[in-house]
Amino acid sequence: MKEQLEAIRKSAIEELEKAAALQDLDSVRIRFLGKKGELTAILKQMGRLTAEERPVIGQLANEIRADLEDRISEKVDAIKERMLEEKLREEKIDVTLPSGRVPLGHKHPLSIVLDEVKDIFFGMGFNVASGPEVEWDYYNFEALNIPKNHPARDTQDTFYITENMLLRTQTSPCQIRVMEKQAPPIRVIAPGRVYRSDAVDATHSPIFHQIEGLVVDKGITMADLKGCLEDFAKSLYGEDTKIRLRPHHFPFTEPSCEIDVSCFNCGGKGCPMCKGEGWIEILGGGMVHPKVLKNCGVDPDVYSGFAFGIGLERLVMFRFNIDDMRLLYENDVRFLNQF
């Protein structure tokens, strides 16, 4: 049996020297040291040995097992080291080579014009106000002098979450929240997403953007509103731009007006962009209704104010001569790469 054990050791060492991969080593281990391996088979025959032979053969078998396990472990380490070196050699990177060009994005046309509008109003001393897009009915309608069942709600049909909670139809609720928390003087703009249940077409979308403005102080008049918006129009479209105010009705302002600018494409002479009129409507505004001021805890006998609302998409479409609002939302890279 001693000769058999030595023969197994010799055979196993020869197989280990031939092994070139981890799978080969695993095969050698199973063949000689596994549960059905050659060494195990010899040990199962020890019951036939005499009492004097058993300890000698057992010790030799354990030495051979330990020797083979050490050799297999060393071989595994050697093969893994060789594999790592080969992998590093194959994946070697020349860091002195110039890197590939990484394409960078740029501002969306909505962001381009919004940033310009913000800069204009920052120059007039305005701050930016923000508020939740999921809004209470009170802030979106009632505090703005639009009680339940008011006809004005029909033109602002929106997405209700509960009977008293909805996706805001305008950013005017931001103005209400500012007046509740801040005493006059107030001068803010409130840009943001708004939602209305409109069918999608070239000029309508259920999601769009508004920029609303609010000024509240002592002695504010319509002349201040006109001067503010005239400066805004000239800054956005050029010093030759003129504005005109047309009477209108909004529940939250009194008096109210629609504001047009002289067509920046034809200078007021008439063209397809302005439909031959020479004027383009860009926003609405007016003096803050005394009831709205009172709803927010502002004394209308002491303070007055004006408010206005601008459709950002309308400004962008005029600015870049875009004839379909849907292009702004479809994320077509061929379109966006133009800006």
Side-chain angles (χ1 to χ4, degrees):
M1 190 172 289
K2 184 175 181 181
E3 291 77 11
Q4 289 179 299
L5 290 173
E6 291 294 347
I8 289 173
R9 187 210 298 262
K10 182 179 179 182
S11 179
I13 291 173
E14 290 175 356
E15 293 296 325
L16 287 175
E17 290 177 352
K18 295 177 184 178
L22 294 176
Q23 296 90 333
D24 299 335
L25 290 177
D26 197 46
S27 298
V28 172
R29 181 187 60 77
I30 293 172
R31 175 183 168 186
F32 294 100
L33 304 179
K35 291 183 179 180
K36 297 181 181 180
E38 296 183 15
L39 184 60
T40 306
I42 293 295
L43 293 177
K44 288 180 180 178
Q45 302 176 21
M46 290 185 63
R48 296 182 297 174
L49 300 176
T50 63
E52 293 80 11
E53 291 176 324
R54 268 192 217 119
V56 176
I57 298 301
Q59 182 178 0
L60 178 59
N62 289 332
E63 289 177 0
I64 292 175
R65 177 181 291 277
D67 182 32
L68 294 180
E69 287 177 347
D70 290 342
R71 289 174 182 271
I72 291 173
S73 179
E74 291 175 3
K75 190 77 174 187
V76 167
D77 292 341
I79 290 176
K80 285 184 176 180
E81 186 175 352
R82 189 191 73 237
M83 290 172 62
L84 178 60
E85 290 176 355
E86 291 175 356
K87 186 176 181 180
L88 291 174
R89 187 165 54 251
E90 291 172 359
E91 298 180 359
K92 182 179 179 182
I93 299 174
D94 186 351
V95 295
T96 64
L97 290 174
S99 63
R101 184 176 179 182
V102 178
L104 297 177
H106 53 75
K107 286 184 180 179
H108 191 279
L110 287 170
S111 298
I112 293 172
V113 176
L114 177 58
D115 288 345
E116 290 182 5
V117 172
K118 285 181 179 179
D119 287 342
I120 292 171
F121 283 108
F122 286 160
M124 299 184 196
F126 283 73
N127 294 317
V128 173
S130 61
E133 294 181 18
V134 178
E135 189 56 274
W136 295 107
D137 181 272
Y138 171 78
Y139 286 101
N140 196 82
F141 290 124
E142 294 182 34
L144 290 163
N145 201 29
I146 311 177
K148 293 185 184 300
N149 301 319
H150 192 286
R153 292 202 183 196
D154 294 339
T155 61
Q156 295 191 39
D157 189 20
T158 188
F159 304 96
Y160 278 84
I161 297 171
T162 68
E163 185 177 347
N164 292 311
M165 185 181 291
L166 66 155
L167 298 181
R168 67 184 182 187
T169 63
Q170 53 206 355
T171 56
S172 301
C174 300
Q175 301 175 358
I176 300 298
R177 291 176 180 275
V178 169
M179 286 191 285
E180 285 183 342
K181 296 177 182 178
Q182 179 182 333
I186 296 170
R187 191 177 297 185
V188 296
I189 57 170
R193 277 188 300 267
V194 296
Y195 307 83
R196 296 185 187 179
S197 185
D198 291 336
V200 178
D201 59 30
T203 57
H204 295 86
S205 170
I207 303 175
F208 57 101
H209 298 76
Q210 279 191 342
I211 308 167
E212 301 207 12
L214 172 71
V215 172
V216 179
D217 203 349
K218 295 178 180 178
I220 298 296
T221 67
M222 281 288 285
D224 297 306
L225 171 62
K226 183 176 184 295
C228 175
L229 296 180
E230 195 166 44
D231 282 349
F232 166 70
K234 289 179 181 294
S235 299
L236 195 63
Y237 297 118
E239 286 297 323
D240 296 332
T241 304
K242 299 177 182 178
I243 71 168
R244 71 176 184 182
L245 279 62
R246 292 180 287 107
H248 195 70
H249 171 261
F250 297 112
F252 34 82
T253 54
E254 180 62 38
S256 306
C257 61
E258 294 278 12
I259 295 92
D260 304 330
V261 297
S262 55
C263 181
F264 35 81
N265 188 52
C266 66
K269 298 177 182 178
C271 69
M273 179 173 285
C274 61
K275 299 178 181 179
E277 296 182 0
W279 296 92
I280 296 175
E281 177 189 330
I282 62 167
L283 57 93
M287 300 300 294
V288 180
H289 198 291
K291 188 173 181 180
V292 174
L293 293 175
K294 191 176 294 185
N295 288 340
C296 300
V298 178
D299 188 346
D301 295 327
V302 177
Y303 296 100
S304 58
F306 66 76
F308 56 85
I310 308 169
L312 178 59
E313 280 78 1
R314 178 181 288 264
L315 295 181
V316 173
M317 292 172 74
F318 288 149
R319 169 69 180 278
F320 296 116
N321 197 21
I322 299 170
D323 60 3
D324 194 325
M325 184 188 296
R326 289 170 290 193
L327 292 170
L328 298 172
Y329 305 120
E330 291 175 346
N331 295 324
D332 189 328
V333 176
R334 295 170 298 177
F335 169 75
L336 296 176
N337 281 339
Q338 301 176 70
F339 303 95

